Amino acid sequence: MSWYKFAVEYVDARWAQLGGNSRKNMAKTLTATTIALLRAKPTQFAPAAVRTALREWAFNTNRRPDAPRDVVAILRWVERNSLPVSAWEDPEKVDQVLRAIDTRLDGKQAAAWSRKRNRRILNVAMKYAVRRRILRTNPLPKGKESTAAVKTTNAVDKRSLPNPEQAAAILDWIRRRPRGGERLHAFFATLYYCGPRPEEAVAMRVEDVALPDPDADDQWCELLIHTATPEVGKQWTDTGEIHEQRDLKGRAEGETRTVPGHPALTRILRQHIEDEELKPGDLLFQGESGGILAGSVIRRAWRNARKAVLPRTSSSHPPDGASTTTETRA
């Protein structure tokens, strides 16, 4: 069996079990792997076209049957020039594939988390091949050898966090945006004071916010986080929608969590709900047309606010991988 044929069958076997982002990441990893396992470079096709054909069509179960003619031609060439799965028995070829998935298109090493994710995805594929008796053993490095090159940490670099003055300036700049500023101000204030993931915040309903009575002595509010709505792209969801509804990341199915909100956030959300005339079942943070707040709008507002507010301060010895400006670290 060729590696390409195996990879396509593996995607189809896993597709229904995975969410949109996992499908997308699997396709990216298998694309780099497949290109590394070609007998020759595709001189008659542009490299970008080959990557797109593999990532967006070959390794997408829903879209593959509708691939356009030029994409089909590329995929047929890939299938003819794909090495057999037995190529994994060659240690030199394994090392070549690992270098490929560890390297970005510009030739630089990928971030540690990306390398770790790629290897995890490939490791699952290898275990599948072993279970199907396509491979005798898992050829990927094991134990310390497998993690030495991809050490990661969950610790937060405090230098990447905005201080209270910077946060206040950013929120104020966003609030004064001429288009949707007030709405985005409430969204970013929620991220700052309560720390939900953006995909969790955009899924919140008004009824998920417990606000105290305006005259109460205790003005802390409470947020109920129970759903995430990540933006994964309509080609990766079963519904054809850009977003998909998921349970909270890293938690059991159906699990929720409550988060206390500072009195400052209570004032902001109370005013936001009043100004937007929101009902209990409405999305708390909406786009201009009343739907889910788009990730592109969120990213653009945050990027412009950082650029406008945060000063550029040089650092003579930045940590490995860190920016040399406060603007891009915060």
Side-chain angles (χ1 to χ4, degrees):
M1 177 184 288
S2 73
W3 164 256
Y4 172 78
K5 183 178 180 181
F6 166 79
V8 169
E9 290 184 5
Y10 173 70
V11 167
D12 291 347
R14 293 276 292 159
W15 188 263
Q17 307 166 20
L18 301 176
N21 274 324
S22 295
R23 292 171 175 176
K24 185 191 305 183
N25 289 330
M26 177 174 63
K28 289 179 179 178
T29 300
L30 292 179
T31 293
T33 302
T34 301
I35 291 174
L37 291 174
L38 290 175
R39 289 189 174 90
K41 293 184 178 180
T43 55
Q44 67 270 52
F45 303 113
V50 176
R51 291 194 301 270
T52 299
L54 288 169
R55 185 185 63 248
E56 302 293 329
W57 299 95
F59 301 139
N60 187 312
T61 299
N62 289 345
R63 299 186 78 200
R64 192 185 313 121
D66 301 321
R69 185 174 302 177
D70 57 333
V71 169
V72 171
I74 293 174
L75 297 182
R76 285 176 178 170
W77 181 91
V78 169
E79 185 170 11
R80 291 195 304 269
N81 287 274
S82 177
L83 291 171
V85 178
S86 59
W88 285 97
E89 297 175 1
D90 180 358
E92 186 175 338
K93 185 59 67 175
V94 173
D95 290 341
Q96 180 182 332
V97 172
L98 293 179
R99 285 194 297 270
I101 65 174
D102 286 350
T103 306
R104 302 187 319 193
L105 292 178
D106 60 7
K108 296 181 181 179
Q109 189 177 61
W113 277 109
S114 294
R115 304 200 308 274
K116 185 175 182 178
R117 181 187 62 230
N118 289 339
R119 291 183 179 224
R120 183 175 63 246
I121 291 171
L122 202 52
N123 195 56
V124 176
M126 293 297 100
K127 290 180 178 178
Y128 177 84
V130 172
R131 289 198 306 271
R132 293 287 306 276
R133 298 185 179 181
I134 298 171
L135 284 174
R136 289 177 293 178
T137 60
N138 185 341
L140 298 179
K142 301 173 180 62
K144 291 184 178 180
E145 184 183 359
S146 67
T147 58
V150 289
K151 290 183 178 178
T152 57
T153 177
N154 289 321
V156 176
D157 185 347
K158 293 184 178 180
R159 293 171 297 176
S160 67
L161 301 176
N163 60 43
E165 291 75 20
Q166 290 173 326
I170 289 174
L171 289 175
D172 183 61
W173 188 92
I174 291 174
R175 182 180 58 82
R176 290 185 285 105
R177 276 170 53 100
R179 186 174 176 179
E182 295 284 353
R183 186 184 307 114
L184 286 169
H185 172 255
F187 172 80
F188 282 108
T190 300
L191 297 189
Y192 175 68
Y193 284 110
C194 293
R197 296 172 180 271
E199 64 194 43
E200 296 171 344
V202 297
M204 290 180 59
R205 303 278 173 176
V206 175
E207 61 194 6
D208 298 327
V209 181
L211 296 174
D213 188 88
D215 299 326
D217 294 333
D218 184 355
Q219 284 297 304
W220 283 78
C221 62
E222 188 173 79
L223 276 57
L224 176 64
I225 311 294
H226 57 82
T227 306
T229 313
E231 185 178 89
V232 299
K234 60 184 179 181
Q235 69 269 39
W236 301 107
T237 64
D238 292 327
T239 61
E241 300 291 333
I242 295 176
H243 298 81
E244 68 175 359
Q245 186 168 308
R246 307 285 294 175
D247 290 309
L248 302 184
K249 190 171 183 177
R251 292 176 179 262
E253 183 177 348
E255 188 174 352
T256 66
R257 75 175 190 272
T258 54
V259 184
H262 191 276
L265 180 62
T266 298
R267 293 192 294 271
I268 292 171
L269 292 181
R270 182 181 288 123
Q271 190 65 49
H272 168 70
I273 292 171
E274 180 180 334
D275 291 345
E276 296 292 319
E277 300 181 349
L278 299 177
K279 303 296 187 295
D282 292 341
L283 286 170
L284 182 60
F285 307 114
Q286 303 178 0
E288 289 187 346
S289 60
I292 297 176
L293 186 59
S296 59
V297 174
I298 296 169
R299 291 188 293 272
R300 184 167 56 248
W302 180 248
R303 182 173 59 248
N304 291 340
R306 291 195 318 174
K307 185 176 180 180
V309 171
L310 300 181
R312 295 177 178 270
T313 57
S314 299
S315 173
S316 56
H317 298 287
D320 182 32
S323 166
T324 56
T325 67
T326 301
E327 177 217 345
T328 52
R329 286 207 310 268

